[in-house]
Amino acid sequence: MIEIRPFDSLGKANFGWLNANHHFSFGHYMDPQRMAWGRLRVWNDDEIAPGTGFDPHPHRDMEIITYVREGAITHKDNMGNEGRTEAGDVQIMSAGTGVVHAEYNLEPTTTRIFQIWIMPDRRGVKPAWGAKQFPKEKRDAGFEVLASGRPQDEGQGALPINVDGAVLAATLKKGQTLVQPLAAGRAAYIVPARGAVTVEGQAAAARDGIAIRQVREFAITATEDAELVMVEIADA
C-alpha cells in the first residue's frame, strides 16, 4: 500500500508567528483517518517567523526529532542543554519521565522545520537531548540514518532514540532512482523537503506525505532534484 497525501490536504494552523501544517491529527486538527502511521504519531511542517518560537512547555514519553529544512532552531531545556541546529542537521529529544524545553528562531529569516514525534518502546526512561551535523553529500542517492533505535544502526553514528525505528534522509538528482526495502511488519512515511519524486509511479511534490506499508520494497525516482526525509518504524 502506497498512499500520497498532498500538502494541501494536511491540517492547517496559522498563528502569525507560526504557520503549521499537520500530517497527522494534532492540536485543533482532528482526522480519525490520520491519527498515526505505525508508531509515528506526529509530523508537523512548521514555519517559524524570525525572533519568535515556542516558549517553555513540557513533554513526556515521546521521541521528538527535529529536522531543520531552512534557517536554524535554538533549543534550551530544564536539563541544562542549549544548542543551535542549522539547516540539514538534526536534534533529538527523548522526553521520557518529563522535560520542559523552549525552541526559538533567533535568525533574521524564517526557519522551516519538520518536527517528528514517535511513540517510544519504553515509557518512563531518563530524558535526553542531542544534536548533530549531517553533511548532505553523505546521503547522495541513498538514505543516511540520522536518528535511530534500531539494533542494526547501533554504532553507526546516528543520534539515539528510544524506539525500534529510524529517521533517515536522502538526496536524489533528477532522474535518479532509489530502491528501498521494507521488512515485513514495518511501515514508512516519507516527505520530500524539496523537489518532486514518483514512488512506484505515484507522483509526490515537495511537502506531500507518502505513507507506505505492506510492500517488500519500493522505487523512488526523482522528477526534480529532491531532498527526502523518511521515518521507518514498526507497523503497530
Side-chain angles (χ1 to χ4, degrees):
M1 172 193 168
I2 299 174
E3 177 190 351
I4 308 299
R5 300 179 174 183
F7 177 75
D8 288 346
S9 75
L10 305 184
K12 309 293 182 183
N14 194 324
F15 302 99
W17 65 273
L18 172 67
N19 182 17
N21 301 274
H22 308 306
H23 285 262
F24 301 96
S25 296
F26 187 89
H28 296 294
Y29 167 61
M30 176 59 66
D31 182 342
Q33 302 303 312
R34 295 186 180 180
M35 294 300 299
W37 193 251
R39 298 193 69 80
L40 173 61
R41 177 60 188 86
V42 169
W43 191 311
N44 288 344
D45 178 327
D46 290 340
E47 299 179 342
I48 307 166
T52 69
F54 303 93
D55 290 328
H57 59 283
H59 290 284
R60 186 182 181 91
D61 286 323
M62 192 65 71
E63 304 299 298
I64 299 174
I65 302 97
T66 303
Y67 183 91
V68 183
R69 295 169 48 225
E70 297 178 28
I73 198 78
T74 297
H75 167 99
K76 187 174 184 179
D77 64 42
N78 65 343
M79 297 180 289
N81 298 305
E82 295 187 36
R84 177 179 175 274
T85 306
E86 298 182 347
D89 299 333
V90 176
Q91 72 169 16
I92 59 99
M93 189 174 71
S94 294
T97 54
V99 62
V100 176
H101 79 134
E103 306 284 349
Y104 294 111
N105 174 16
L106 302 181
E107 313 305 312
T109 58
T110 298
T111 286
R112 295 178 171 87
I113 64 172
F114 290 151
Q115 190 172 95
I116 297 162
W117 296 16
I118 305 175
M119 293 177 281
D121 290 343
R122 294 180 296 123
R123 299 172 65 87
V125 301
K126 182 179 179 180
W129 175 86
K132 188 174 178 179
Q133 296 180 336
F134 289 93
K136 290 186 180 182
E137 57 268 19
K138 292 187 177 180
R139 59 182 85 154
D140 287 345
F143 280 105
E144 179 186 18
V145 182
L146 308 178
S148 177
R150 302 184 306 188
Q152 67 264 37
D153 298 323
E154 188 173 351
Q156 300 302 308
L159 288 163
I161 53 176
N162 178 40
V163 64
D164 181 11
V167 179
L168 310 94
T171 56
L172 294 176
K173 297 293 187 184
K174 182 179 179 179
Q176 283 185 326
T177 295
L178 168 63
V179 177
Q180 181 68 20
L182 189 64
R186 309 292 290 183
Y189 197 86
I190 303 173
V191 181
R194 61 178 177 84
V197 299
T198 61
V199 181
E200 293 295 324
Q202 297 189 55
R207 303 164 78 184
D208 289 353
I210 307 163
I212 305 171
R213 60 167 39 125
Q214 298 174 351
V215 299
R216 292 188 175 183
E217 64 178 25
F218 51 92
I220 307 169
T221 299
T223 53
E224 302 173 3
D225 289 354
E227 176 183 352
L228 307 172
V229 181
M230 177 173 74
V231 169
E232 191 273 351
I233 29 65
D235 190 13

